[in-house]
Amino acid sequence: MQEPLIRFRHASLGYGRVPVLAGVDLGIPAQAFVGILGHNGSGKTTLLKTVLGLLPCLKGQLVCPGAPRFGYVPQKERLDPIYPLTAYDVTAMGTWRRFELLARLRGTRRALVQRCLTDCGAAGLASKAYRDLSGGQKQRVLIARALAAEPQVLALDEPLAGIDITTQKALLKLLQELKERRRLTILMVSHRVQAEKELFSHVIWCDEGRAEMGGAEEMLGRGKLGDVFRTEL
């Protein structure tokens, strides 16, 4: 059996000394599309930030054997509108780690940024002010920024929040295409199920201080939801 790309071993996750999730023991396989689901405040974002290395495990271990690169689309992006950033500028932010010591490779950097915008259907937005874009356009640019890190894992925190249903469907189609084309592992936090459930290969349910992972079909079954949430679907 192939070793998981990301593995938690008996981990407690949280802030300071206070665990939000305890006894987390799960493995995320490469090229999975994982939905991290649960009620508000259940620990979904805490789990995602721990995977990204933004939070340490309070106990236990997080093991990433292949040291995969991550691209991250945060839940809320606050870019001060006083700065005249274009969509190109925002996307280029994703390249800084890769090119900070190779500034001379400006042409290579430009090509990467343009390719990421194109892959996200946002090439025509490159010169437009980021602050003037619609919600869906901003999300495309933020996904392009995450791709500019050339990740193996794309992590998204509530990427569909505050976006109309038509744009949601378009973004979900984009994520599926990117996963297949770039052979990505995708981790996506959501408090919803209906719009995304057909895309998930696996689901992590967070509830009452614990996290449980399984195949999407199993985890989204009525009986399983009842077991995890102690409520009816």
Side-chain angles (χ1 to χ4, degrees), residues 86-101:
T86 65
Y88 177 95
D89 296 330
V90 173
T91 304
M93 292 176 182
T95 69
W96 73 271
R97 286 182 183 271
R98 187 170 177 80
F99 289 101
E100 61 182 336
L101 300 179

Side-chain angles (χ1 to χ4, degrees), residues 2-208:
Q2 188 175 9
E3 188 173 14
L5 184 68
I6 299 163
R7 178 146 192 100
F8 283 104
R9 291 181 175 149
H10 311 298
S12 293
L13 318 180
Y15 304 84
R17 296 184 179 181
V18 181
V20 176
L21 296 168
V24 180
D25 195 359
L26 55 86
I28 297 171
Q31 297 179 41
F33 197 135
V34 182
I36 304 173
L37 308 179
H39 302 303
N40 289 333
S42 61
K44 304 184 299 295
T45 295
T46 301
L47 189 149
L48 188 68
K49 287 184 174 181
T50 306
V51 170
L52 292 168
L54 301 175
L55 292 172
C57 291
L58 302 183
K59 292 182 180 179
Q61 289 181 305
L62 168 65
V63 182
C64 301
R69 287 192 302 274
F70 292 91
Y72 178 39
V73 180
Q75 184 173 4
K76 293 182 180 179
E77 183 59 86
R78 295 183 177 89
L79 295 172
D80 196 325
I82 195 172
Y83 296 110
L85 296 171
T86 65
Y88 177 95
D89 296 330
V90 173
T91 304
M93 292 176 182
T95 69
W96 73 271
R97 286 182 183 271
R98 187 170 177 80
F99 289 101
E100 61 182 336
L101 300 179
L102 299 171
R104 65 184 180 277
L105 298 180
R106 294 183 186 278
T108 303
R109 184 173 183 266
R110 258 196 309 274
L112 172 61
V113 172
Q114 291 290 359
R115 183 168 70 251
C116 292
L117 283 167
T118 298
D119 284 353
C120 292
L125 304 175
S127 62
K128 295 185 181 298
Y130 178 81
R131 64 191 176 197
D132 294 336
L133 301 181
S134 69
Q137 289 172 331
K138 286 180 178 178
Q139 283 301 90
R140 287 180 182 271
V141 172
L142 293 176
I143 293 169
R145 183 180 69 176
L147 294 178
E150 298 193 294
Q152 285 87 43
V153 181
L154 179 61
L156 308 101
D157 194 353
E158 302 275 11
L160 306 183
I163 295 175
D164 65 87
I165 189 65
T166 300
T167 304
Q168 288 180 18
K169 291 179 179 179
L171 287 173
L172 290 172
K173 181 180 179 182
L174 169 64
L175 291 174
Q176 182 64 26
E177 291 172 351
L178 290 172
K179 177 187 177 298
E180 298 302 326
R181 189 185 316 144
R182 293 182 174 238
R183 301 175 68 85
L184 294 170
T185 302
I186 296 183
L187 310 179
M188 182 170 143
V189 169
S190 179
H191 68 277
R192 307 162 62 254
V193 177
Q194 294 302 321
E196 306 99 321
K197 66 180 182 180
E198 300 301 325
L199 297 182
F200 297 147
S201 61
H202 299 75
V203 164
I204 300 173
W205 283 116
C206 297
D207 188 53
E208 295 187 357

